[in-house]
Amino acid sequence: MTSPSWSKRSFVTLFMSDLWERFGFYGMLAILVLYFSAPAADGGLGLAPTDSAALVGVYLGLTFMLSLLGGWVGDRILGPHAATLYGAVIVSAGYFVLAAPTTAVTGIGLLLVAMGTAIYKPNLTTMLNLHYERVRSEREAAISVFYVGIQVSALLAPLVTGYLGERVDWHAGFAATGVTSVICALTYWRGSRHFDTAGALTVNRVSSPELRRFGVRAAIPAVFLLAAAVGLVPLGLTIAICGLGIIVVPFVSFWLLRRHPDLTAADRRRLTVFLWPLFGSALFWLVAGQDGSILNLFAQQSTDREVFGFVLPASWLQSATPLFILLAAPLLARYFKRHGQHVNVAVKFSVGLAIVGFSFLIMAGAAWLAASGEKVSPLWLVSVYLLHALGELIIAAVGISAAFEVAPPAFRARMIGLWWLFSALGAGLASQVVRVTAVVPDSLYYLVIAVIVTGFGLAVAYRRDRIAAGIVRPAETGEPAASTVLH
C-alpha cells in the first residue's frame, strides 16, 4: 500500500510535472549545439563546432554534478516538496532568458536551467520514493512508469523545438521549452494539495554554522560560474576549468567515501572493485553524451535528410534513441527478469560497453564516407542511436542495481550519487576530447574512442568473475537483493 496521506492524484501530479519538465530538457538539448554553432547572421552564437560540442558537454556535466547539491538543498534546507517547486520555477526562468531575442544572456539562461534542473530532478525523485515508501515493488513499478514518461518526452520534444528552432527562430524553440516548464511548475503547484505533509520537512536541517561553512566553500565556484555566464571569462578557459572540475570531483568524492570511518575493510574492497563499473559508466557517457553535440552537428552537416522533397530538421534525429528505448525496454526487461540472474553482472556490463563502443566504429565509417563532401544516409546515425539505446538500457539497469548492492544500507544514497558523478565525468571528458576533432580527422576520432570503450568492455569481461564476486555483498538480514528489472 502507499502511504495513507497520498492518493492516485498525487502520483499523477508527479508524473505529469516530470513529463513536462523532461520535455523542456530534451527539447532544449536537441537544438542547443545547433544554436551555438549557427552563424550570428542566422541568430546563433557563431561558435566553432568543436567549442559548441564542448560547451554542451560542460552543460550536461554541470547538471549531473550539481544534482548532488540539489539533493542536499532538499534534504537539509528546503525539504523535498518546496525544493521541487522552486527548482521548476528556476528552470522556467532559465528557458525564458534563453528565449529572449538576444544572445548576450545565453550564459545566464544556461546556468539557471542547470541549477534549476539540479534542484528539481533529485527532489522530485525523493517525492516519488516518499509516495511508495512502504512497498518497494510498487515503487519499482512507479519508477518504470516514470521512465516511460521520460522517453515519451524525449521522443516528442525534438520534433517541436527542432522545427521551431531550425525553421522559425532559435529563440522560438527555447520559448517552447519555457512554456512546457511553466506547465510543469503549475501542474506541481496545483496538485501539491494532495500531498498532505509529505516532503514538507527536511531530513536533518542544516545548522547555521554548517550553512556558513558551506557558503564560504561555495563562494569561489559560484563567483566563477556567474562570471563565466555573463561572459567575463573567455569561453576556452570556461570549458577547460569546468571540464577539469567535472573530472576531478568524482575521484575526490570516491576517495572521501572510501575513507569514511563507518565502512569496514570489506566495504572498502568492494568500493575499489566497483571502480570498474564506475569507469564503465563514465565511458558510456563519453560516447552517449555526444548524441546532442557532435553527432547532432554531423546530422546537420553531413547527412542527406530529404524525404519526399521535405528536408527533415537535423534535431529530429535526436528522437531516435528514445523511440528505440521505448521499443526495446520491455523486451530487455523480460529477458533480465527471466534469465538475468544466470548471467554474470560483469558480463552484462561488458556487453553494454561493447555495444556502445561498436556504435562509434560505425560512426568512423560514416565520417570516412562524409569526408569526401558527399552526404551520407541518416541510417548511419539511426543505427548508432539504436546501439546507444541498447547500451543505456543494459548499463543503467546493471550499474544502478550494482551501486545499490555494493554499499551498506546507510550509504546507498551516496553510492547512487557517486554513480551519477562518474556519469558527469563522462560528459566532462566528452567536453574536452571532442575538441581534438579540430586537428584530427573525425573518422580517426571516432575510431580511437571505439577502441578504448570496446577494449575496456573486453577487460571487464576478462575479469568478470573477480568483479562480480568483489561487488556482491553477503546476504543480509532477510533484505531482498536490488532488482535488475529495467527502470
Side-chain angles (χ1 to χ4, degrees):
M1 297 178 60
T2 60
S3 173
S5 62
W6 288 74
S7 68
K8 290 183 179 179
R9 290 182 179 179
S10 62
F11 173 79
V12 172
T13 295
L14 296 175
F15 175 81
M16 292 304 299
S17 61
D18 190 62
L19 187 147
W20 287 113
E21 187 275 335
R22 290 290 89 183
F23 191 102
F25 175 82
Y26 286 107
M28 184 191 76
L29 197 59
I31 62 174
L32 199 56
V33 72
L34 305 178
Y35 167 66
F36 288 160
S37 61
D42 295 333
L45 296 187
L47 301 179
T50 51
D51 286 340
S52 300
L55 195 54
V56 172
V58 166
Y59 163 74
L60 287 174
L62 278 177
T63 302
F64 274 127
M65 194 166 63
L66 289 174
S67 293
L68 287 182
L69 177 60
W72 181 81
V73 168
D75 285 343
R76 304 293 306 277
I77 299 179
L78 297 175
H81 168 51
T84 302
L85 181 58
Y86 290 146
V89 172
I90 295 172
V91 169
S92 300
Y95 286 141
F96 281 115
V97 169
L98 288 171
T102 174
T103 59
V105 294
T106 297
I108 294 293
L110 281 178
L111 183 58
L112 286 172
V113 173
M115 290 174 54
T117 302
I119 295 173
Y120 172 88
K121 194 61 181 173
N123 286 290
L124 183 90
T125 303
T126 299
M127 293 296 292
L128 179 64
N129 283 319
L130 289 173
H131 191 165
Y132 293 100
E133 188 173 14
R134 297 183 180 183
V135 183
R136 193 180 72 178
S137 60
E138 291 188 4
R139 183 170 67 248
E140 291 176 344
I143 292 174
S144 297
V145 174
F146 261 63
Y147 193 73
V148 170
I150 288 172
Q151 302 311 316
V152 170
S153 293
L155 172 64
L156 298 178
L159 304 180
V160 176
T161 61
Y163 181 83
L164 290 174
E166 295 185 60
R167 296 289 191 266
V168 181
D169 182 82
W170 299 114
H171 301 290
F174 294 131
T177 64
V179 170
T180 60
S181 190
V182 168
I183 295 174
C184 160
L186 290 175
T187 299
Y188 186 84
W189 174 69
R190 285 180 58 85
S192 63
R193 64 183 183 273
H194 304 298
F195 294 171
D196 198 9
T197 60
L201 303 177
T202 56
V203 175
N204 179 22
R205 190 165 185 83
V206 65
S207 65
S208 296
E210 286 180 295
L211 195 57
R212 284 194 295 270
R213 285 195 298 270
F214 170 78
V216 171
R217 294 170 182 171
I220 293 178
V223 170
F224 169 77
L225 288 176
L226 184 59
V230 299
L232 297 179
V233 182
L235 178 62
L237 184 60
T238 297
I239 293 173
I241 292 178
C242 289
L244 179 63
I246 293 167
I247 291 170
V248 169
V249 168
F251 292 101
V252 173
S253 299
F254 177 86
W255 178 73
L256 291 174
L257 178 60
R258 193 181 182 281
R259 67 191 293 266
H260 196 285
D262 291 341
L263 293 179
T264 66
D267 292 331
R268 294 188 177 94
R269 284 194 297 270
R270 277 188 289 273
L271 280 177
T272 301
V273 174
F274 194 64
L275 276 172
W276 285 88
L278 288 175
F279 282 135
S281 172
L283 288 175
F284 168 76
W285 282 104
L286 168 64
V287 175
Q290 299 184 59
D291 287 1
S293 57
I294 192 169
L295 297 191
N296 210 0
L297 290 173
F298 185 86
Q300 181 190 52
Q301 300 167 3
S302 302
T303 61
D304 180 7
R305 293 173 279 110
E306 185 174 345
V307 179
F308 301 118
F310 175 72
V311 179
L312 300 176
S315 52
W316 281 17
L317 290 177
Q318 292 294 299
S319 294
T321 298
L323 175 62
F324 289 134
I325 288 178
L326 286 171
L327 295 175
L331 300 177
L332 280 177
R334 180 177 298 179
Y335 175 82
F336 277 175
K337 190 171 183 178
R338 291 183 177 179
H339 309 290
Q341 68 272 22
H342 303 302
V343 182
N344 188 303
V345 169
V347 171
K348 298 175 191 174
F349 213 86
S350 65
V351 168
L353 287 172
I355 289 174
V356 175
F358 184 69
S359 74
F360 261 32
L361 186 60
I362 294 176
M363 274 306 305
W368 181 76
L369 290 175
S372 64
E374 293 291 329
K375 292 192 174 184
V376 302
S377 168
L379 293 178
W380 286 88
L381 272 178
V382 170
S383 64
V384 169
Y385 292 147
L386 170 61
L387 295 179
H388 287 184
L390 295 175
E392 179 178 346
L393 287 168
I394 295 172
I395 290 174
V398 175
I400 293 177
S401 176
F404 184 85
E405 292 186 1
V406 73
F411 290 83
R412 282 172 177 164
R414 272 168 279 192
M415 277 305 304
I416 297 296
L418 192 65
W419 172 265
W420 288 115
L421 274 182
F422 274 80
S423 300
L425 168 63
L429 287 172
S431 72
Q432 303 303 309
V433 301
V434 73
R435 306 186 79 181
V436 306
T437 57
V439 294
V440 303
D442 288 357
S443 57
L444 178 60
Y445 170 78
Y446 292 123
L447 179 61
V448 170
I449 293 180
V451 170
I452 291 173
V453 175
T454 305
F456 188 84
L458 292 175
V460 171
Y462 178 74
R463 297 181 61 88
R464 59 190 179 277
D465 293 331
R466 290 185 180 181
I467 294 173
I471 65 177
V472 175
R473 295 184 60 79
E476 299 183 73
T477 58
E479 182 179 357
S483 171
T484 57
V485 178
L486 294 175
H487 296 326

